[in-house]
Amino acid sequence: MKRRTWVVLMGLVAAMAASCDSDDSSADENNIPVGLRLCTATDQGIEVVDFESIAVQPSGTAAGDSYSVNLDVRGSASVSGAVDVALWTNTAIVAVAGVAAEGLVGFDLLDPDNPVQIGALDMDSPLRLRIRDASLYVAQGNKGLSVLTLPIDFSYIETNHFVFDADDLGNPISVKDVEADGAVLYLATDHGLWVLQYVNGTFTELAHDPSTVLTSCRLGVNKNLLFCTGAGLAPDVPAMQPNPRGLMIYDVSEVDSPQLISATANSNVDLSTTLDFATSGTNQALVVEQGMGLAWWDISSLEEPVRTDLTDMPWPDQVKTEGSWAFVTSRGVDTVPHQGSGVHIFSFGGTVPAETYAIGHITPTNDARVKAVDIQTIQ
């Protein structure tokens, strides 16, 4: 199996990729083990890549060090309509939508060089997947929310399903994303933020904040903080104008009464919408701005977050973190088919200093477009 090694020079917003067939490293390289497995969902199926290590090559000059990211391209499998992927032990669970056979498709990754489909579950509009503890949460747009117990036995599925009663609103409520913190569920919808309690298959409403229109939102919980992105404020809330369309931070120490702490603006509120985010503790946030790139925010002051940098990137979509690393998917340049699509790797603090440019890049095979990625530690 050929190994791809990506080299990035510090201080330059450019990358040089090289391929090699050998696992040998030069004596002056400081190899740092990483040991992460990535599974990407593309418009052609799934692909598995191992991020094994990174080699730091001291330059001895003010220009700084250079990095070689060692990637081992493993196997792939075909599936149509993949929009998201979640990893659970040796299984990849793929959300398939927009095709005749919508639902969840499972792949066994015990042999990562040869992913094998192990089953499929019919489900309407599975848009986003979230694994917390031993449960899989599926946001299904106006079809609601499903909760499945892991591991999934694709031969028999017992699903706890929740759909909003939207009679009082006159139209269906669309669930865009879900986050879980123990028995508390946070739902981003086009009619605001909902907080539910989920116990033994029963859903109970705890709170609803209708002031936000979470049209393309991602949610995340860090201790007593809830982060929302892709959010716009409702037009009937003049005190919060202009519409930030950026990162919103809530105090959820009292889950039945979320309090908005701050709402940031994007780099260009007229052209970009925030699609995703990731945080490093409570000090730094990465925010994906559609059409603009990757924004770096200092959130050490929750009331007044400060944007510190903006990394130009062709149409980023999703960001996920694992340990000291951040992985940003990009569907490439719209006007040039497949150009720039892939997964960009960033150092997000830790052994290697955080940098605002990608230190590596994973390019999908066969000109595929990357839709989503999930990461786990190699067992």
Side-chain angles (χ1 to χ4, degrees), residues 58-367:
S59 67
T61 69
D65 302 336
S66 62
Y67 306 111
S68 298
V69 177
N70 301 313
L71 306 172
D72 191 1
V73 181
R74 308 300 293 264
S76 62
S78 298
V79 62
S80 298
V83 295
D84 203 0
V85 60
L87 296 176
W88 172 258
T89 61
N90 290 312
T91 302
I93 304 168
V94 182
V96 174
V99 293
E102 291 189 325
L104 304 180
V105 180
F107 290 91
D108 186 343
L109 302 183
L110 191 60
D111 178 2
D113 293 324
N114 298 285
V116 177
Q117 183 173 330
I118 56 177
L121 166 67
D122 291 338
M123 180 181 289
D124 292 332
S125 304
L127 301 178
R128 282 177 176 167
L129 307 178
R130 179 91 64 174
I131 290 178
R132 291 291 180 263
D133 298 323
S135 295
L136 173 68
Y137 300 88
V138 186
Q140 297 175 253
N142 59 16
K143 300 297 182 180
L145 165 73
S146 288
V147 183
L148 295 81
T149 300
L150 295 168
I152 296 176
D153 179 358
F154 284 92
S155 64
Y156 174 76
I157 300 295
E158 182 175 348
T159 303
N160 292 312
H161 188 64
F162 177 80
V163 179
F164 282 105
D165 181 359
D167 292 344
D168 294 338
L169 296 174
N171 54 5
I173 298 174
S174 182
V175 180
K176 306 296 184 179
D177 195 20
V178 56
E179 174 64 292
D181 184 16
V184 178
L185 305 183
Y186 300 93
L187 274 63
T189 81
D190 55 352
H191 286 277
L193 173 69
W194 253 274
V195 185
L196 306 178
Q197 184 180 54
Y198 174 69
V199 179
N200 297 327
T202 300
F203 297 89
T204 304
E205 181 179 328
L206 298 179
H208 174 217
D209 178 5
S211 65
T212 54
V213 183
L214 308 179
T215 54
S216 58
C217 189
R218 278 292 195 183
L219 299 174
V221 174
N222 187 333
K223 297 181 180 179
N224 291 324
L225 300 174
L226 175 70
F227 296 86
C228 303
T229 58
L233 295 176
D236 57 351
V237 189
M240 295 296 293
Q241 299 303 312
N243 184 335
R245 298 159 61 103
L247 180 67
M248 305 179 73
I249 306 175
Y250 283 87
D251 178 350
V252 291
S253 55
E254 297 182 11
V255 295
D256 57 351
S257 181
Q259 300 296 315
L260 183 64
I261 299 174
S262 60
T264 68
N266 277 354
S267 303
N268 190 322
V269 296
D270 295 323
L271 298 179
S272 65
T273 298
T274 304
L275 297 182
D276 202 0
F277 80 102
T279 59
S280 175
T282 55
N283 296 317
Q284 191 174 41
L286 297 181
V287 178
V288 174
E289 295 188 12
Q290 183 184 50
M292 297 298 295
L294 184 66
W296 299 70
W297 286 84
D298 179 347
I299 57 172
S300 53
S301 172
L302 297 174
E303 292 79 10
E304 297 181 357
V306 177
R307 184 191 297 107
T308 58
D309 213 330
L310 180 68
T311 303
D312 187 26
M313 187 179 299
W315 295 100
D317 290 305
Q318 183 190 67
V319 56
K320 286 193 175 181
T321 60
E322 185 68 32
S324 301
W325 311 98
F327 304 88
V328 183
T329 66
S330 173
R331 53 187 164 92
V333 181
D334 281 358
T335 55
V336 183
H338 312 297
Q339 180 175 320
S341 181
V343 181
H344 303 264
I345 304 173
F346 291 83
S347 172
F348 202 31
T351 306
V352 177
E355 303 291 353
T356 57
Y357 56 85
I359 63 173
H361 183 264
I362 299 172
T363 302
T365 59
N366 300 321
D367 290 330

